[in-house]
Amino acid sequence: MSEVLNHEQIKKKITRMAYEIYERNLNSKAVVLAGISGMGMTLADLLAKELQAISPLKVEEVEVILDKSNLAEAEVKLSKNIDLQGKTLLIVDDVLNTGKTLAYAMKPFLDIELYKMEVAVLVNRSHGLFPIRPDYTGYELSTTFNEHIRVDFSTENNYSVHLH
């Protein structure tokens, strides 16, 4: 197992992503960060804090709850009701592998009149089996299907990304 990103590198990537989100959403009424359960929600929290520190944008958060092991049959729910009318929705996950999880995470938002929908990921593995491309990427990493990326946000001052 080898470290791909250390704590300082991850913090810098999150800051850069937040500035990009701010720059591209100056005219948005609000930005709603929809974090996918687990590390996606943790990344959404970190991005929200950074966005609030650097911009006057109204930032809201919601968790997208889904069963990653049974995407086709499981219900996709939101942690709370949230008004998304005319707002920018940013679906957030830690790693983009094939795009399948992100495609299913969009389900609850398809019938809502959004200003726009975007995708943010910390690591993009570029295995596009589904037509999902991130608008904001912390790190591009070409890997084989046999390799795995593990993002660890469990210790507040020791975030890491490992390849194994």
Side-chain angles (χ1 to χ4, degrees):
M1 179 165 65
S2 61
E3 186 173 72
V4 177
L5 296 172
N6 65 32
H7 184 77
E8 286 306 312
Q9 291 168 319
I10 291 171
K11 283 177 49 181
K12 287 177 183 174
K13 301 230 178 266
I14 290 170
T15 299
R16 181 183 48 77
M17 290 170 70
Y19 274 104
E20 287 179 33
I21 294 165
Y22 176 38
E23 289 170 4
R24 292 191 208 167
N25 289 286
L26 290 171
N27 298 324
S28 184
K29 188 163 75 172
V31 175
V32 177
L33 300 176
I36 294 176
S37 294
M39 293 298 139
M41 190 62 212
T42 304
L43 179 59
D45 287 338
L46 294 168
L47 282 169
K49 285 180 181 122
E50 193 65 30
L51 267 171
Q52 290 167 335
I54 65 167
S55 80
L57 283 175
K58 182 175 183 208
V59 179
E60 301 171 68
E61 291 180 77
V62 64
E63 183 175 6
V64 180
I65 302 164
L66 49 76
D67 179 358
K68 290 182 182 182
S69 65
N70 188 19
L71 289 169
E73 296 177 23
E75 182 183 0
V76 180
K77 301 181 289 192
L78 301 179
S79 60
K80 62 184 179 184
N81 290 329
I82 189 162
D83 176 24
L84 296 164
Q85 198 76 28
K87 297 176 183 174
T88 295
L89 174 71
L90 186 57
I91 299 180
V92 181
D93 205 4
D94 58 340
V95 179
L96 173 57
N97 288 310
T98 63
K100 186 175 183 177
T101 299
L102 280 160
Y104 277 91
M106 293 178 183
K107 276 174 104 172
F109 308 110
L110 296 177
D111 294 330
I112 300 169
E113 198 66 41
L114 300 165
Y115 179 67
K116 65 181 166 180
M117 184 186 300
E118 298 179 319
V119 172
V121 296
L122 182 60
V123 179
N124 180 10
R125 291 184 60 191
S126 308
H127 286 301
L129 298 180
F130 282 69
I132 305 292
R133 302 285 176 263
D135 299 281
Y136 310 98
T137 302
Y139 192 70
E140 291 275 345
L141 183 66
S142 294
T143 59
T144 68
F145 278 111
N146 296 335
E147 294 174 307
H148 298 282
I149 296 289
R150 188 174 62 80
V151 175
D152 185 359
F153 290 130
S154 62
T155 309
E156 190 171 325
N157 293 316
N158 194 24
Y159 305 147
S160 64
V161 175
H162 288 90
L163 172 67
H164 52 100

